[in-house]
């Protein structure tokens, strides 16, 4: 009997039927960047800023913060799965049905928690990690939020001029540090720490060009501001101009990246804003997200796409960040007024993707963690929402803001719980044989670490690239491999076709995930 063996799991492929060693067609919530090449779940996401209904205070104790129940598991297991905490389950479960066929459109991950009472009144579209130790969030209706080191959020200010379209930290030649942000036509600043009641907010300028985005970036001590067909600037000396740079006619500034002491401006054509640069980030390689789902090199030389998100989608200007952004190297000449070059240490780009096909939105990573690992894309955290506003990484915790209907929130990586994960193989094509013969796919064998109680593995398959996923059952009729301490599970197939795809579901328990080392598909 012939066999396909899959024993490497590295990231999303550029093709449906081939790729680098370990590439797969689609996956969600998989941990592909660990040092052991196996198939296992990554960490889950949990809501921050959730108000404790037992107290009228805005204070949120980390231990009392409701989390999402892992009810989105594709498992049909009948084994008990007690909740690890007093978590709040999403109101509408997206668990896969235990029926024979399973729609491929069903998301392997929960949608945002509906009905939670949170501190957030609007969608955060920019995060700023400030030198005072706090992380600030700037919202789509003018709210400004602050997060401390204990993940406690509070709203600290509401700008009466409405939506905040850009924000950044601003140093000054007086030694004072400011938060600076822009509404539709105004630039404002707030001394840090300054007055706790925020009565020290000042207007810096009020002649910005009305625009969808006024993305800001600190470059050489000054803050540059996207201003429609111009760049505005708040200088290190406190000066301000709304026309520091006049772009080539027909271009609209949308995002700014600081690189080597210079400003790199991502634009869109005024005649078609849907095809421009949505967001840009310098990781190990400079990258820009353009139009619907495409990522391009943004090094000023290359002009071809690097990769596309598997379900399309886009990011906001604040929806990109560097996973590792710890230190900077500066180059300075004694006669220079400021440093002339800067290199940021960082390697993994994160994209908060929305407007994608169902089940394919969320936080994607692209890059590698060290020199000997491949450049790959992975959907680290699947999250379907109407919009993902902004993303940042604070001391190893990734934060992403979201809007789902009338609900707003911020999710953070949860170090204490794994997520249910999905793996979908490349197209496996049967070898050449006599024309009259049809390939018969017999069974799928998974070899894993000894299963821990309440964890399980599921299997689905599809032949000839048509129809929905079909659930595979074990010989005893179970839809899940869940035998405690067992290492090998066999799912029966019994289908005929020339192209075979296998889908594996990993169902963790609390912070323990099954880890699959090998998948074998037997056929004749």
């Amino acid at each position: 009997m012939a066999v396909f063996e899959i024993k490497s799991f590295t990231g999303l492929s550029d093709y449906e039927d081939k790729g680098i060693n370990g590439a797969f067609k689609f996956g969600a919530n998989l941990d592909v960047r660990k040092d052991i090449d196996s198939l296992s779940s990554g960490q889950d996401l949990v809501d921050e800023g959730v108000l404790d209904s037992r107290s009228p205070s805005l204070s949120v104790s980390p231990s009392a913060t409701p989390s999402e129940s892992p009810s989105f598991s594709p498992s049909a297991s009948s084994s008990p799965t007690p909740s690890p905490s007093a978590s709040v389950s999403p109101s509408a479960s997206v668990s896969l049905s235990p029926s024979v066929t399973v729609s491929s459109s069903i998301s392997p991950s929960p949608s945002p928690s509906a009905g939670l009472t949170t501190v957030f009144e609007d969608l955060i579209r920019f995060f700023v990690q400030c030198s005072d130790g706090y992380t600030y969030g700037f919202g789509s209706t003018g709210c400004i939020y602050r997060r401390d080191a204990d993940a406690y959020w509070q709203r600290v200010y509401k700008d009466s001029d409405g939506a905040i379209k850009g924000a950044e930290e601003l140093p000054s030649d007086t030694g004072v540090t400011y938060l600076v942000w822009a509404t539709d036509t105004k630039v404002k600043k707030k001394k840090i720490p300054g007055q706790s009641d925020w009565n020290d907010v000042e207007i810096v300028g009020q002649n910005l060009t009305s625009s969808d985005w006024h993305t800001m970036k600190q470059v050489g001590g000054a803050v540059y501001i996207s201003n429609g067909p111009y760049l505005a600037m708040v200088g290190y000396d406190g000066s301000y101009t709304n026309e520091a740079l006049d772009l080539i006619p027909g271009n609209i500034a949308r995002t700014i990246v600081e690189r080597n002491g210079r400003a790199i401006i991502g634009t869109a054509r005024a005649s078609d804003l849907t095809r421009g640069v949505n967001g840009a980030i310098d990781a190990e390689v400079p990258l820009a997200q353009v139009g619907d789902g495409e990522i391009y090199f943004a090094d000023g030389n290359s002009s071809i796409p690097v990769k596309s998100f598997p379900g399309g989608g886009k990011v906001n200007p604040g929806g990109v960040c560097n996973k590792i952004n710890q230190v900077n190297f500066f180059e300075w000449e004694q006669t220079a007024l400021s440093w002339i070059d800067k290199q940021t240490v960082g390697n993994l780009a994160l994209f908060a993707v929305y407007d994608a096909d169902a089940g394919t939105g969320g936080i994607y990573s692209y890059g590698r963690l060290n020199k000997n690992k491949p450049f790959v894309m992975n959907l680290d955290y699947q999250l379907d929402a109407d919009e993902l506003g902004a993303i940042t990484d604070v001391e190893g915790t990734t934060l992403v803001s979201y809007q789902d209907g009338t609900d707003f929130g911020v999710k953070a990586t949860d170090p204490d719980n794994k997520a249910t994960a999905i793996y979908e193989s490349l197209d496996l094509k049967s070898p050449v044989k006599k024309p009259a013969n049809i390939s018969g796919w017999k069974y799928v064998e998974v070899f894993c670490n000894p299963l821990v109680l309440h964890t399980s593995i599921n299997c689905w398959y599809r032949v000839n690239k048509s129809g929905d996923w079909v659930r595979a059952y074990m010989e005893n009729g179970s839809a899940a491999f869940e035998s405690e301490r067992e290492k090998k599970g066999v799912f029966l197939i019994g289908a005929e076709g020339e192209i075979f795809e296998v889908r594996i579901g990993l169902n963790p328990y609390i912070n323990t995930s099954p880890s699959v080392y090998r998948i074998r598909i037997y056929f004749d």
Side-chain angles (χ1 to χ4, degrees):
M1 186 176 294
V3 61
F4 276 112
E5 184 175 63
I6 304 171
K7 56 183 179 180
S8 182
F9 314 91
T10 55
L12 294 170
S13 176
D14 291 329
Y15 299 91
E16 292 194 355
D17 58 351
K18 61 182 178 180
I20 64 172
N21 184 42
F24 45 86
K25 185 185 303 183
F26 182 72
N29 302 324
L30 294 171
D31 181 7
V32 302
R33 303 190 189 279
K34 57 187 182 298
D35 291 333
I36 298 176
D37 189 357
S38 65
L39 195 62
S40 63
S41 297
Q43 298 306 126
D44 206 352
L45 294 173
V46 63
D47 275 283
E48 289 193 344
V50 178
L51 301 181
D52 188 346
S53 61
R54 296 170 297 176
S55 169
S57 169
L58 287 179
S59 176
V60 180
S61 168
S63 62
T65 303
S67 62
E68 291 185 39
S69 167
S71 60
F72 52 88
S73 167
S75 172
S77 169
S78 59
S79 65
T81 308
S83 172
S85 64
S87 59
V88 177
S89 173
S91 60
S93 170
V94 289
S95 299
L96 297 180
S97 168
S99 60
V100 174
T101 60
V102 179
S103 171
S104 60
S105 65
I106 292 181
S107 166
S109 176
S111 59
S113 301
L116 290 180
T117 303
T118 75
V119 69
F120 304 106
E121 303 173 26
D122 60 0
L123 176 65
I124 292 177
R125 287 185 171 160
F126 292 94
F127 288 112
V128 175
Q129 294 186 46
C130 194
S131 55
D132 64 357
Y134 292 105
T135 298
Y136 293 86
F138 296 81
S140 59
T141 65
C143 293
I144 300 178
Y145 310 91
R146 187 178 69 190
R147 179 188 190 267
D148 65 18
D150 294 324
Y152 166 57
W153 284 93
Q154 60 178 318
R155 197 195 81 179
V156 292
Y157 188 71
K158 178 68 178 287
D159 195 310
S160 60
D161 286 316
I164 297 175
K165 301 183 175 183
E168 182 60 290
E169 185 178 67
L170 171 70
S172 70
D173 58 1
T174 63
V176 177
T177 301
Y178 298 91
L179 277 176
V180 60
W181 66 91
T183 57
D184 193 42
T185 60
K186 296 179 182 178
V187 179
K188 302 181 182 183
K189 68 179 182 180
K190 159 78 169 73
K191 182 179 179 181
I192 297 297
Q195 297 181 22
S196 59
D197 59 8
W198 284 57
N199 283 332
D200 54 348
V201 172
E202 305 174 48
I203 295 178
V204 177
Q206 44 190 338
N207 58 352
L208 290 178
T209 301
S210 178
S211 184
D212 290 339
W213 298 104
H214 292 308
T215 309
M216 298 182 177
K217 195 67 178 179
Q218 185 188 136
V219 181
V223 167
Y224 289 13
I225 307 168
S226 300
N227 188 29
Y230 308 98
L231 281 192
M233 184 182 73
V234 181
Y236 184 67
D237 59 359
S239 60
Y240 165 77
T241 175
N242 68 329
E243 296 183 5
L245 173 68
D246 187 358
L247 299 176
I248 296 174
N251 285 278
I252 300 296
R254 183 173 282 174
T255 188
I256 306 172
V257 175
E258 184 279 327
R259 184 183 305 156
N260 300 332
R262 297 177 174 87
I264 308 299
I265 305 147
T267 68
R269 297 293 294 177
S271 58
D272 187 2
L273 297 178
T274 64
R275 296 175 59 84
V277 176
N278 296 317
I281 186 69
D282 282 3
E284 184 179 352
V285 293
L287 299 169
Q289 197 281 298
V290 178
D292 181 24
E294 290 188 317
I295 297 177
Y296 280 77
F297 285 119
D299 56 9
N301 296 313
S302 304
S303 60
I304 59 172
V306 181
K307 178 72 178 169
S308 295
F309 302 125
K314 61 184 179 181
V315 303
N316 284 329
V320 291
C321 77
N322 203 320
K323 175 65 176 175
I324 301 174
N325 192 354
Q326 298 171 329
V327 294
N328 295 316
F329 294 98
F330 293 92
E331 181 181 345
W332 177 72
E333 291 181 354
Q334 188 173 359
T335 58
L337 296 177
S338 180
W339 44 269
I340 61 172
D341 201 355
K342 183 180 85 167
Q343 178 186 0
T344 299
V345 175
N347 59 358
L348 201 61
L350 300 181
F351 299 86
V353 179
Y354 69 99
D355 261 4
D357 293 342
T360 63
I363 301 175
Y364 285 83
S365 63
Y366 180 80
R368 58 183 178 177
L369 290 181
N370 59 47
K371 183 179 72 68
N372 294 322
K373 292 184 178 181
F375 276 93
V376 292
M377 176 182 285
N378 185 54
L379 178 50
D380 293 20
Y381 308 97
Q382 200 282 328
L383 179 62
D384 280 337
D386 292 337
E387 185 173 349
L388 300 185
I391 189 171
T392 191
D393 189 82
V394 181
E395 301 295 333
T397 297
T398 300
L399 305 175
V400 61
S401 62
Y402 69 87
Q403 176 180 357
D404 194 54
T406 59
D407 295 322
F408 304 97
V410 169
K411 287 186 179 289
T413 49
D414 184 355
D416 300 320
N417 288 280
K418 299 286 187 184
T420 294
I422 286 294
Y423 165 89
E424 296 178 6
S425 73
L426 299 175
D427 296 342
L428 306 177
K429 299 177 179 179
S430 62
V432 177
K433 55 189 178 302
K434 292 182 179 179
N437 293 343
I438 300 176
S439 296
W441 303 90
K442 301 303 183 182
Y443 53 90
V444 172
E445 175 189 279
V446 294
F447 179 75
C448 62
N449 63 332
L451 283 181
V452 174
L453 183 64
H454 303 313
T455 65
S456 63
I457 300 172
N458 301 103
C459 177
W460 297 265
Y461 65 91
R462 184 163 55 193
V463 293
N464 292 339
K465 298 179 68 65
S466 63
D468 293 331
W469 292 99
V470 179
R471 186 182 291 275
Y473 292 87
M474 304 185 72
E475 189 174 16
N476 63 3
S478 173
F481 174 44
E482 54 187 357
S483 301
E484 186 180 6
R485 293 188 294 274
E486 290 296 316
K487 295 187 288 186
K488 185 169 72 173
V490 178
F491 294 89
L492 306 181
I493 303 301
E496 294 183 339
E498 300 307 305
I499 300 175
F500 186 84
E501 303 166 71
V502 64
R503 187 185 203 216
I504 300 295
L506 304 176
N507 308 304
Y509 176 65
I510 310 179
N511 211 23
T512 300
S513 166
S515 188
V516 175
Y517 303 121
R518 184 186 69 215
I519 303 170
R520 285 178 176 170
I521 300 98
Y522 293 86
F523 67 101
D524 59 20

